[in-house]
Amino acid sequence: MNLEALKEKPIFQMTGEEFLFLQRNIDKEPQEAKETLSDNVSKKYVYGIRGIAKLIGGSVSSANRLKKSGVIDKAIIQNGRKIIVDSELALELIKNSK
């Protein structure tokens, strides 16, 4: 049985044998895949100018000045008016800028 194919198959379509095989062999997954998955899960994001303000413990106007200064540009993902900030990266960038 192919482990990758079983991962994509919905549980309600699996036979009992396929389900048990998947449960027994899921731990034999390559370590690299587990590490990248845990990296993606551990990231914390804040949203909008208010999120930046809460992150730095300041006002909305201070958050606007910080965003416009370009210090945290690498941590910001912006699409139109929606702003998403990787909080850990933003704090690291702020720390290194001083």
Side-chain angles (χ1 to χ4, degrees):
M1 289 184 210
N2 185 2
L3 189 59
E4 293 301 318
L6 281 177
K7 285 181 183 178
E8 299 297 321
K9 190 173 185 180
I11 292 176
F12 71 89
Q13 291 180 347
M14 289 184 190
T15 64
E17 181 183 358
E18 290 173 331
F19 182 69
L20 290 174
F21 176 80
L22 184 63
Q23 277 188 319
R24 289 185 187 121
N25 294 307
I26 199 74
D27 292 333
K28 297 177 184 173
E29 191 176 340
Q31 188 64 25
E32 297 168 4
K34 288 182 181 180
E35 289 173 1
T36 56
L37 181 62
S38 65
D39 289 345
N40 291 340
V41 172
S42 67
K43 287 197 174 192
K44 303 276 193 240
Y45 295 102
V46 294
Y47 302 93
I49 295 296
R50 286 190 179 142
I52 298 170
K54 283 183 181 179
L55 180 66
I56 62 173
S59 66
V60 173
S61 60
S62 296
N64 265 324
R65 282 195 305 270
L66 178 64
K67 182 181 176 298
K68 286 183 183 181
S69 73
V71 172
I72 60 171
D73 278 351
K74 290 182 183 176
I76 295 176
I77 301 167
Q78 185 165 1
N79 185 4
R81 291 180 53 171
K82 184 172 285 198
I83 300 171
I84 304 171
V85 181
D86 180 351
S87 59
E88 293 173 3
L89 181 57
L91 290 173
E92 189 68 31
L93 290 170
I94 292 167
K95 180 180 163 185
N96 292 338
S97 72
K98 293 184 179 180

